[in-house]
Amino acid sequence: MSDFENEQIMYDIIITGGGLAGLVSSILLSKAGKKVLVIEKKKYPFHRVCGEYISNETRPFLKSIGLNFKELNVKEIVKFQFTSPKGRKLETNLDLGGFGISRYQLDDTLFQLAQKNGVTFLLENTVESIDFQSDRFIVKTHFETFNSRFVIGAFGKRTKLDATLQRDFFTKRSPYIGVKYHIKTDFPKDLIALHNFKDGYCGISAIEGDKYCLCYLTTRENLRKHGTIAEMERNILWKNPHLQKIFTESEFLYEKPEVINEISFAPKTTIENHILMVGDSAGLITPLCGNGMAIAIHGAKLLSESILENFNDRGLVETNYQNRWKKHFSQRLWVGRIVQKLFGNEVISEIAWGTLKIIRPALGVIIKATHGKVF
């Protein structure tokens, strides 16, 4: 009889969601001898809406868990460019720098690494409910029921589980949508650019091969006014000449873009009914700060350490994790929400560009405030 045919099987940790935070947590916990199950609604490899740039603060850690950067053919990114909606631009060096890699490749690599380390996966399935009873969890999917000591919520930006848990942020509508393409184009491989437009901004940076990630955030209202994504892009994004050039002179590799709705940057709780939230489930930094992937990876490390250090004391696990998460990320997310208000609006974005041009060090200060230290 397989594990999945036995209702009474007990796991040390069940992780709902197999993105960066879920995969990294599973690797660390399984390496430490814990019995780990990851439940993921899709089958690897697959695309996600994501800027696909990772700060080098993560690099030593990712190497330590088995990632081979040379084999992954990541692109080294050392410069940042910022343009206003009218196309005026500023550039600066990135002190720490980063690298570009698609989620399609990175997540699949981590998935294979997790399997090698003994993690059990249940793919193409979704969690219907999570109940905490008598100091253990009962996790139900469409067809099976599992038990575990801990549950990690790594299910991303917004899911049905958020509604089931009655999370506060879920009750408030968010105006934002995210759109992502992979393209081939003529663009520096060592540069990440952020191009502003009316009610949004678009990032572009190199990933593996000769491809680039083109990903933007805008509002449902922009889409509603123009009816289709293509019409919205022509009428809104193309007013920034840099974006017009990218959209008209590039080869688009998707038949249609990846899209996600109602992205919320509101504060979230790291614990819900004893479920330990990590990655975007715990808090989402605005994409213009370009550091969500690093936070997901670092958060997974902090959470795994909290579990392993205090495995027999749930209260200590929760307290320790909350304190660590707040120490490392709360200020960065707060700064991200403040910076978000400076961009997207055409008038304010132009004013922000003018201010940053006069006070050039300010751009570096903002970048530093939304990034962490090497861990």
Side-chain angles (χ1 to χ4, degrees), residues 78-101:
V78 297
K79 299 176 183 176
F80 173 73
Q81 181 186 86
F82 165 82
T83 72
S84 73
K86 292 180 179 178
R88 298 186 295 174
K89 64 182 180 181
L90 292 173
E91 286 192 15
T92 187
N93 292 327
L94 292 170
D95 291 341
L96 194 57
F99 57 94
I101 182 172

Short mmCIF file of all heavy atoms in Angstrom, two decimals, residues 78-101:
data_model
loop_
_atom_site.label_atom_id
_atom_site.label_comp_id
_atom_site.label_asym_id
_atom_site.label_seq_id
_atom_site.Cartn_x
_atom_site.Cartn_y
_atom_site.Cartn_z
N VAL A 78 24.38 43.31 -12.59
CA VAL A 78 25.14 44.22 -11.73
C VAL A 78 24.70 45.67 -11.85
O VAL A 78 25.20 46.54 -11.14
CB VAL A 78 26.65 44.13 -12.04
CG1 VAL A 78 27.18 42.73 -11.74
CG2 VAL A 78 26.94 44.49 -13.50
N LYS A 79 23.76 45.97 -12.76
CA LYS A 79 23.33 47.35 -12.97
C LYS A 79 21.81 47.45 -12.91
O LYS A 79 21.10 46.50 -13.24
CB LYS A 79 23.81 47.86 -14.34
CG LYS A 79 25.31 47.88 -14.51
CD LYS A 79 25.68 48.30 -15.93
CE LYS A 79 27.18 48.26 -16.15
NZ LYS A 79 27.53 48.58 -17.56
N PHE A 80 21.34 48.62 -12.52
CA PHE A 80 19.90 48.88 -12.43
C PHE A 80 19.56 50.15 -13.19
O PHE A 80 20.26 51.17 -13.08
CB PHE A 80 19.48 49.04 -10.96
CG PHE A 80 18.05 49.48 -10.78
CD1 PHE A 80 17.00 48.61 -11.02
CD2 PHE A 80 17.75 50.77 -10.35
CE1 PHE A 80 15.68 49.01 -10.84
CE2 PHE A 80 16.44 51.18 -10.18
CZ PHE A 80 15.40 50.28 -10.43
N GLN A 81 18.49 50.09 -13.97
CA GLN A 81 18.01 51.26 -14.71
C GLN A 81 16.56 51.53 -14.33
O GLN A 81 15.75 50.60 -14.21
CB GLN A 81 18.10 51.00 -16.21
CG GLN A 81 17.65 52.16 -17.08
CD GLN A 81 17.62 51.80 -18.55
OE1 GLN A 81 16.64 51.27 -19.05
NE2 GLN A 81 18.74 52.05 -19.24
N PHE A 82 16.26 52.80 -14.16
CA PHE A 82 14.91 53.23 -13.79
C PHE A 82 14.45 54.28 -14.80
O PHE A 82 15.19 55.22 -15.09
CB PHE A 82 14.94 53.82 -12.38
CG PHE A 82 13.73 54.62 -12.00
CD1 PHE A 82 12.58 54.00 -11.54
CD2 PHE A 82 13.74 56.02 -12.08
CE1 PHE A 82 11.47 54.75 -11.19
CE2 PHE A 82 12.63 56.76 -11.74
CZ PHE A 82 11.49 56.12 -11.29
N THR A 83 13.25 54.11 -15.36
CA THR A 83 12.73 55.14 -16.28
C THR A 83 11.37 55.63 -15.82
O THR A 83 10.57 54.89 -15.26
CB THR A 83 12.61 54.62 -17.73
OG1 THR A 83 11.50 53.71 -17.84
CG2 THR A 83 13.88 53.95 -18.20
N SER A 84 11.12 56.91 -16.08
CA SER A 84 9.83 57.52 -15.77
C SER A 84 8.83 57.19 -16.88
O SER A 84 9.22 56.69 -17.95
CB SER A 84 9.99 59.04 -15.67
OG SER A 84 10.16 59.61 -16.96
N PRO A 85 7.55 57.44 -16.69
CA PRO A 85 6.56 57.15 -17.74
C PRO A 85 6.88 57.84 -19.07
O PRO A 85 6.53 57.32 -20.13
CB PRO A 85 5.25 57.67 -17.14
CG PRO A 85 5.43 57.51 -15.67
CD PRO A 85 6.87 57.84 -15.42
N LYS A 86 7.56 58.99 -19.03
CA LYS A 86 7.92 59.68 -20.27
C LYS A 86 9.20 59.12 -20.90
O LYS A 86 9.59 59.54 -21.98
CB LYS A 86 8.10 61.17 -20.00
CG LYS A 86 6.79 61.88 -19.65
CD LYS A 86 7.03 63.36 -19.39
CE LYS A 86 5.72 64.07 -19.06
NZ LYS A 86 5.94 65.52 -18.77
N GLY A 87 9.86 58.19 -20.19
CA GLY A 87 11.04 57.56 -20.75
C GLY A 87 12.36 58.12 -20.28
O GLY A 87 13.43 57.68 -20.73
N ARG A 88 12.33 59.09 -19.38
CA ARG A 88 13.58 59.62 -18.85
C ARG A 88 14.20 58.56 -17.94
O ARG A 88 13.50 57.90 -17.17
CB ARG A 88 13.33 60.91 -18.07
CG ARG A 88 12.74 62.01 -18.94
CD ARG A 88 12.64 63.32 -18.21
NE ARG A 88 11.69 63.26 -17.10
CZ ARG A 88 11.50 64.24 -16.22
NH1 ARG A 88 12.24 65.34 -16.29
NH2 ARG A 88 10.60 64.13 -15.26
N LYS A 89 15.54 58.39 -18.00
CA LYS A 89 16.13 57.25 -17.29
C LYS A 89 17.27 57.65 -16.36
O LYS A 89 17.95 58.66 -16.55
CB LYS A 89 16.62 56.19 -18.29
CG LYS A 89 17.74 56.64 -19.20
CD LYS A 89 18.10 55.51 -20.17
CE LYS A 89 19.23 55.93 -21.10
NZ LYS A 89 19.57 54.85 -22.06
N LEU A 90 17.44 56.80 -15.36
CA LEU A 90 18.56 56.87 -14.43
C LEU A 90 19.17 55.48 -14.34
O LEU A 90 18.45 54.48 -14.43
CB LEU A 90 18.09 57.30 -13.03
CG LEU A 90 17.58 58.72 -12.83
CD1 LEU A 90 17.03 58.86 -11.42
CD2 LEU A 90 18.70 59.72 -13.06
N GLU A 91 20.49 55.42 -14.13
CA GLU A 91 21.14 54.12 -13.95
C GLU A 91 22.06 54.17 -12.74
O GLU A 91 22.58 55.23 -12.39
CB GLU A 91 21.95 53.74 -15.20
CG GLU A 91 21.11 53.29 -16.37
CD GLU A 91 21.93 52.64 -17.47
OE1 GLU A 91 23.10 52.28 -17.21
OE2 GLU A 91 21.40 52.49 -18.59
N THR A 92 22.23 53.01 -12.11
CA THR A 92 23.14 52.92 -10.98
C THR A 92 23.68 51.49 -10.91
O THR A 92 23.07 50.56 -11.46
CB THR A 92 22.45 53.29 -9.66
OG1 THR A 92 23.41 53.35 -8.60
CG2 THR A 92 21.39 52.25 -9.28
N ASN A 93 24.82 51.32 -10.26
CA ASN A 93 25.34 49.99 -10.03
C ASN A 93 24.63 49.36 -8.84
O ASN A 93 24.23 50.05 -7.90
CB ASN A 93 26.85 50.04 -9.75
CG ASN A 93 27.64 50.46 -10.96
OD1 ASN A 93 27.28 50.14 -12.09
ND2 ASN A 93 28.73 51.18 -10.75
N LEU A 94 24.46 48.06 -8.88
CA LEU A 94 23.89 47.32 -7.76
C LEU A 94 25.04 46.85 -6.88
O LEU A 94 25.88 46.04 -7.33
CB LEU A 94 23.08 46.12 -8.26
CG LEU A 94 21.80 46.45 -9.03
CD1 LEU A 94 21.24 45.19 -9.69
CD2 LEU A 94 20.76 47.06 -8.09
N ASP A 95 25.12 47.35 -5.66
CA ASP A 95 26.24 47.02 -4.77
C ASP A 95 26.40 45.51 -4.59
O ASP A 95 27.50 44.97 -4.71
CB ASP A 95 26.05 47.69 -3.41
CG ASP A 95 26.20 49.20 -3.48
OD1 ASP A 95 26.79 49.67 -4.47
OD2 ASP A 95 25.72 49.89 -2.57
N LEU A 96 25.30 44.85 -4.29
CA LEU A 96 25.35 43.41 -4.05
C LEU A 96 25.17 42.62 -5.34
O LEU A 96 25.77 41.56 -5.53
CB LEU A 96 24.26 43.02 -3.04
CG LEU A 96 24.34 41.65 -2.40
CD1 LEU A 96 25.68 41.47 -1.69
CD2 LEU A 96 23.19 41.47 -1.41
N GLY A 97 24.37 43.17 -6.24
CA GLY A 97 24.10 42.48 -7.50
C GLY A 97 23.17 41.30 -7.32
O GLY A 97 22.66 41.02 -6.23
N GLY A 98 22.91 40.62 -8.42
CA GLY A 98 22.02 39.48 -8.37
C GLY A 98 22.16 38.64 -9.63
O GLY A 98 23.12 38.80 -10.39
N PHE A 99 21.22 37.74 -9.83
CA PHE A 99 21.27 36.89 -11.01
C PHE A 99 19.87 36.62 -11.51
O PHE A 99 18.88 36.71 -10.76
CB PHE A 99 22.01 35.58 -10.71
CG PHE A 99 21.42 34.78 -9.57
CD1 PHE A 99 20.49 33.77 -9.81
CD2 PHE A 99 21.81 35.01 -8.26
CE1 PHE A 99 19.96 33.03 -8.76
CE2 PHE A 99 21.28 34.28 -7.21
CZ PHE A 99 20.36 33.28 -7.46
N GLY A 100 19.79 36.29 -12.79
CA GLY A 100 18.50 36.02 -13.41
C GLY A 100 18.37 34.55 -13.76
O GLY A 100 19.28 33.96 -14.33
N ILE A 101 17.22 33.98 -13.41
CA ILE A 101 16.92 32.59 -13.74
C ILE A 101 15.40 32.43 -13.73
O ILE A 101 14.71 33.02 -12.88
CB ILE A 101 17.58 31.60 -12.75
CG1 ILE A 101 17.27 30.15 -13.18
CG2 ILE A 101 17.13 31.86 -11.32
CD1 ILE A 101 18.06 29.12 -12.37
#
